[in-house]
Amino acid sequence: MFSANLSAIFYLISGVLFILALRGLSSPETSRQGNLFGIIGMVIAITVTFISIGNFSNGFIYVLIFLLAGGFVGAFIAYKIPMTAMPELVAGFHSLVGLAAVFVALSAFLNPEAFNLGTPGNIKIGSLVEMSIGAVVGAITFSGSIIAFLKLQGIMSGAPITFKGQHPLNALILVSIIILTYLLCSTQSSNLFWMLLTISFLIGFLLIIPIGGADMPVVISMLNSYSGWAAAGIGFTLENTALIITGALVGSSGAILSYIMCKGMNRSFFNVILGGFGATDQSTDSSSKEQRPVKSGNADDAAFLMKNASSVIIVPGYGMAVAQAQHALREMVDTLKKNDIKVSYAIHPVAGRMPGHMNVLLAEANVPYDEVFELEEINNDFANADVAFVIGANDVTNPVAKTDPQSPIYGMPVLDVEKCKSVLFVKRSLSPGYAGIDNDLFYKENTLMLFADAKKMTEDITKNL
């Protein structure tokens, strides 16, 4: 059994490794190293926790069985999951973190002696506040992540779900949570604890349902932050330094990322937290839309335009992920380079369904990091490029974001694809993107629509090249 001082030292080492992991994950070049640091840090934290517990002989075998079972399931899912479903996987994992925090808080409340927190009805006030915060944030994270998962998976509509009096109701529930927490600390009634959990699960649903599909990447980031704060709150209850450090790192980094994304999308950070984000009417009644002409072409037309270009900018999106076209795209780009055509990739911060989605896909296809540029680095280059090849991106290229104040994506910085001499847009149909709105880029004079599966079209273009 480790002494308290030795445990603290090892927990500090694991905390430093977690910080190095976050640092490494900030860049594609160092992301593998960052992952390794995170794995080592977590192994140290888990090992020290087991050794530090002491009198644990009776339950050790059961905990080990569940630990191995959970590890096996997690490894199997991570191995089998396609990159297209990564956002849903992240949302699902967030929900489990929140649920774990709820279970630990529930265990601590019902059996405080096991956690050295006092006796039933006579729990330390500080511990009650900590477990209440952990339980509330955990419940919100769980139910909110479930809604995010359902929206990302397409089981539930990605459009905002709103009703009259929604915001006053949310405010009332949040005030009720504060009042119930105060009463719980005063009376330590189990009925109040169950009520607190119930309305916390409810507010989690209500906070996420009014959020539109185009804003889902920010929601994923924010739920990540919530899961961290839930873990930190429970860490205080358990007096576990590693859990406090890890939860605080996840919570703060998720909040910072959400703030950066909100700023980049011209959104309000507080609207994300309060659940009003993206709650704009975005009806797309096709019967009321004016029929507008589009120009469509085939792989031969696209190959001709690219062959005669001096520079091409690739704009990948979720459609590329769905078609698993990243490897075919890499082959097409290699062919273009052999013809001395300059090629670069333009990545929007929220392309795909979560931050970094496109970067990971391109890295999977061994695309050189120095050819991949973020929006602010490449947006000015579109005006000088000959061809923009948009493969499955939609909302992030929509000029409406700059022209229509009534649009739900108005104010969101978009890639200035329409400024290219020619735009090749690979898409199955003219259907709207995840935000549920029509893309004006389809109807531009310099746009040629390539209606096909992204992978099949890219392979055919390569053959023609």
Side-chain angles (χ1 to χ4, degrees), residues 141-165:
T141 303
F142 172 74
S143 53
S145 297
I146 292 297
I147 295 297
F149 174 85
L150 294 175
K151 287 196 172 197
L152 289 166
Q153 191 69 15
I155 299 172
M156 183 177 179
S157 171
I161 299 173
T162 58
F163 54 86
K164 190 174 181 180

Side-chain angles (χ1 to χ4, degrees), residues 138-449:
I140 292 172
T141 303
F142 172 74
S143 53
S145 297
I146 292 297
I147 295 297
F149 174 85
L150 294 175
K151 287 196 172 197
L152 289 166
Q153 191 69 15
I155 299 172
M156 183 177 179
S157 171
I161 299 173
T162 58
F163 54 86
K164 190 174 181 180
Q166 190 169 32
H167 292 300
L169 176 61
N170 289 350
L172 179 63
I173 293 176
L174 290 171
V175 171
S176 300
I177 287 174
I178 296 171
I179 294 172
L180 282 172
T181 302
Y182 172 77
L183 293 175
L184 177 65
C185 293
S186 302
T187 65
Q188 303 204 12
S189 165
S190 60
N191 289 333
L192 289 176
F193 192 78
W194 286 110
M195 287 176 62
L196 185 65
L197 285 180
T198 301
I199 65 170
S200 297
F201 281 123
L202 176 61
I203 191 65
F205 288 119
L206 295 175
L207 286 174
I208 304 302
I209 59 172
I211 297 174
D215 304 324
M216 198 52 66
V218 186
V219 176
I220 293 291
S221 174
M222 202 65 231
L223 288 169
N224 176 51
S225 178
Y226 289 167
S227 69
W229 296 126
I234 294 304
F236 280 106
T237 301
L238 301 179
E239 296 181 352
N240 185 293
T241 308
L243 198 54
I244 295 170
I245 293 173
T246 307
L249 284 173
V250 173
S252 56
S253 60
I256 291 168
L257 176 60
S258 300
Y259 175 77
I260 292 171
M261 292 176 68
C262 287
K263 189 175 180 182
M265 295 169 65
N266 195 30
R267 303 300 204 202
S268 167
F269 181 68
F270 290 104
N271 278 348
V272 185
I273 301 173
L274 299 176
F277 198 45
T280 312
D281 180 21
Q282 50 188 38
S283 173
T284 55
D285 182 6
S286 58
S287 61
S288 63
K289 268 197 314 186
E290 178 188 353
Q291 294 298 316
R292 302 162 67 185
V294 296
K295 292 192 294 184
S296 63
N298 53 35
D300 188 46
D301 300 323
F304 177 80
L305 285 171
M306 287 188 178
K307 202 179 298 183
N308 290 283
S310 59
S311 62
V312 174
I313 299 178
I314 311 290
V315 181
Y318 187 66
M320 182 188 77
V322 172
Q324 288 289 284
Q326 61 269 27
H327 297 284
L329 181 65
R330 169 67 194 272
E331 290 179 19
M332 186 190 81
V333 169
D334 288 343
T335 306
L336 290 171
K337 287 180 183 175
K338 289 176 184 176
N339 291 313
D340 296 323
I341 298 169
K342 179 187 175 184
V343 182
S344 50
Y345 297 80
I347 306 293
H348 192 280
V350 295
R353 298 287 172 84
M354 63 181 290
H357 198 179
M358 294 301 105
N359 301 75
V360 174
L361 282 173
L362 294 178
E364 186 184 21
N366 295 316
V367 171
Y369 298 132
D370 58 1
E371 294 177 6
V372 181
F373 299 92
E374 300 295 329
L375 179 144
E376 64 275 4
E377 298 174 308
I378 201 170
N379 229 12
N380 292 331
D381 295 346
F382 282 104
N384 301 316
D386 294 311
V387 175
F389 185 72
V390 184
I391 178 167
N394 200 335
D395 299 320
V396 298
T397 64
N398 196 339
V400 164
K402 298 177 286 187
T403 59
D404 184 6
Q406 302 305 314
S407 171
I409 64 170
Y410 180 70
M412 182 180 83
V414 292
L415 293 163
D416 294 332
V417 175
E418 75 277 7
K419 294 181 179 179
C420 271
K421 293 176 185 176
S422 298
V423 177
L424 300 173
F425 207 121
V426 183
K427 203 171 183 301
R428 288 180 179 272
S429 68
L430 291 175
S431 60
Y434 203 57
I437 56 174
D438 205 22
N439 191 343
D440 267 9
L441 185 60
F442 299 162
Y443 313 103
K444 297 287 185 180
E445 279 294 318
N446 59 334
T447 299
L448 185 70
M449 298 298 298

